[in-house]
Every structure is written in C-alpha cells, then in structure tokens.
Amino acid sequence: MLDAHIKYGGMGTMLVIKVSAESANQFGELVADPETHELLHYTEKPETFVSDLINCGVYIFTPDIFTAIEDVSVNREGRANIRRLSSFEALQSATRLIKCHFFKNFLRRA
C-alpha cells in the first residue's frame, strides 16, 4: 500500500474493498473516479445505497494533511453563517484536489 501511495502521489491513500450492496450501508461508502481512482464522494453508514466500495479504515497521508485540516477549520468558521459544509466538502475545497487511490484487490493479494 505504501509503494502504491508513493507511486501515485496525492495527499492520501485509503484502503477499500468491494462488498455486496446489501451489507455496504454498515460501513463508510465511497465513490471513486473509475479512471483516476480519485475520491469523489464519501458518506459514513448511509441510510440508502451509495456504493459497494467501503472504507477499510487503513490510511496513508502525507504531512500536507495537517495544512488541509487547518484550512478546513478556517473555511468552516468563515462559512458557518452562509452554508454548513460537510467535512468532506470543506476538505475538498481547501485542498482543491485530493487524490486517494483505492486498492480493491489488495486484500485478495495479501
């Protein structure tokens, strides 16, 4: 996973796995760009089906994540009266482009 993170770059890498649609809502579900594997949408334990890709809870981040988190905090304070942003929306806004790479087959190879 670390080798792939270094190879593809980006601020973060998240390990995910594909599961049945029936069990997916028990976990954090995500939608990724099919070509770039960039994270497009994430929701924690949704009430309705979003995706059959779930978060395994394993992450690798570069130190840039701390700046992005700080920027999210500043953006949220400044926008509190305009529109409440989800943490994911605020993080996207602060970093402009977060590349996360997904490894559906990682567990199969291990």
Side-chain angles (χ1 to χ4, degrees), residues 63-82:
D64 296 335
I65 191 68
F66 298 109
T67 302
I69 291 169
E70 183 178 4
D71 290 347
V72 167
S73 177
V74 169
N75 283 342
R76 288 191 90 158
E77 288 174 12
R79 296 181 186 193
N81 294 328
I82 299 171

Side-chain angles (χ1 to χ4, degrees), residues 17-86:
I17 191 168
K18 191 172 192 170
V19 297
S20 70
E22 296 80 27
S23 64
N25 70 343
Q26 298 171 31
F27 307 95
E29 296 179 30
L30 54 106
V31 177
D33 182 290
E35 292 180 23
T36 66
H37 303 289
E38 181 181 354
L39 181 64
L40 301 175
H41 179 72
Y42 180 85
T43 185
E44 186 64 33
K45 298 179 185 169
E47 293 182 21
T48 60
F49 180 76
V50 173
S51 170
D52 58 359
L53 294 176
I54 65 163
N55 176 2
C56 293
V58 178
Y59 313 92
I60 298 174
F61 294 109
T62 65
D64 296 335
I65 191 68
F66 298 109
T67 302
I69 291 169
E70 183 178 4
D71 290 347
V72 167
S73 177
V74 169
N75 283 342
R76 288 191 90 158
E77 288 174 12
R79 296 181 186 193
N81 294 328
I82 299 171
R83 176 177 175 261
R84 184 174 174 89
L85 295 177
S86 71

Side-chain angles (χ1 to χ4, degrees), residues 88-101:
F88 181 73
E89 287 174 315
L91 185 59
Q92 272 192 320
S93 173
T95 60
R96 292 196 178 87
L97 181 64
I98 298 175
K99 290 192 176 186
C100 291
H101 302 282

